[in-house]
Amino acid sequence: MQNMQKKSGAKEATGGASPSQLIDARIAAFGDWRGETLARLRALIREADPEIVEEVKWRKPSNAMLGVPVWSHEGIVCTGETYKNTVKLTFSKGAALNDPSGLFNASLEGNTRRAIDLHEGDKIDETAFKALICAAVALNTSPHASARPARSRKTSKRA
């Protein structure tokens, strides 16, 4: 039941708007290709996983208190950031996901995250994108997702 409350739009502590309403407002404020792109990606995310939870995190003065749209399902699936020339979808566990269509084109050097950068006029393979969302959700909800890797024990070398 708690998950449904979040999904349906739990109120933010400041401002009273739900995360979904904050994302709606952010999309509307762009009035250009970035808003259209973010709105389309958001729709694809929701189609891929109707139980996804929308959140807005990292609200601070440096981003005009707008925060970053985040889509979660038992952990962060991806974030949606907008820049002057780019809409960036960052998958928090992207390095662990199979990406046969090669959608990931940014943040490729790290061991954990992967991102998709879209520029004005770019098209995305919607089927491949939704498959990537489903794979990220499956990873988050797998029994091994919450398991922590075993720490290696240092053994002392005795002469």
Side-chain angles (χ1 to χ4, degrees):
M1 185 89 170
Q2 182 181 8
N3 190 23
M4 288 189 73
Q5 288 175 336
K6 280 186 178 179
K7 183 181 172 196
S8 65
K11 299 291 182 191
E12 285 280 309
T14 58
S18 74
S20 291
Q21 291 169 327
L22 292 171
I23 295 170
D24 289 340
R26 182 161 198 165
I27 289 169
F30 284 114
D32 64 11
W33 70 271
R34 294 172 298 170
E36 292 169 11
T37 300
L38 188 58
R40 183 65 192 138
L41 294 169
R42 179 191 195 193
L44 293 171
I45 291 167
R46 291 164 133 181
E47 287 173 23
D49 180 17
E51 294 187 19
I52 202 111
V53 176
E54 292 190 316
E55 303 172 274
V56 176
K57 295 185 179 231
W58 308 295
R59 294 179 73 187
K60 53 191 175 185
S62 63
N63 63 25
M65 297 305 289
L66 296 173
V68 176
V70 177
W71 291 274
S72 300
H73 188 142
E74 293 190 34
I76 293 176
V77 171
C78 64
T79 63
E81 298 172 88
T82 48
Y83 300 98
K84 183 177 180 181
N85 297 315
T86 309
V87 173
K88 178 185 281 291
L89 270 273
T90 302
F91 287 71
S92 61
K93 298 177 185 173
L97 298 175
N98 187 16
D99 180 23
S101 296
L103 295 179
F104 290 133
N105 61 5
S107 303
L108 302 175
E109 62 284 339
N111 293 329
T112 307
R113 294 178 305 189
R114 293 288 182 271
I116 301 169
D117 282 0
L118 295 167
H119 302 91
E120 188 171 9
D122 286 352
K123 302 289 182 215
I124 191 160
D125 179 336
E126 294 183 359
T127 302
F129 181 71
K130 290 196 305 189
L132 205 54
I133 294 293
C134 290
V137 169
L139 180 61
N140 281 358
T141 58
S142 72
H144 302 292
S146 60
R148 292 180 178 244
R151 286 185 159 182
S152 61
R153 290 187 173 173
K154 291 183 179 180
T155 55
S156 60
K157 294 183 180 180
R158 295 184 182 175

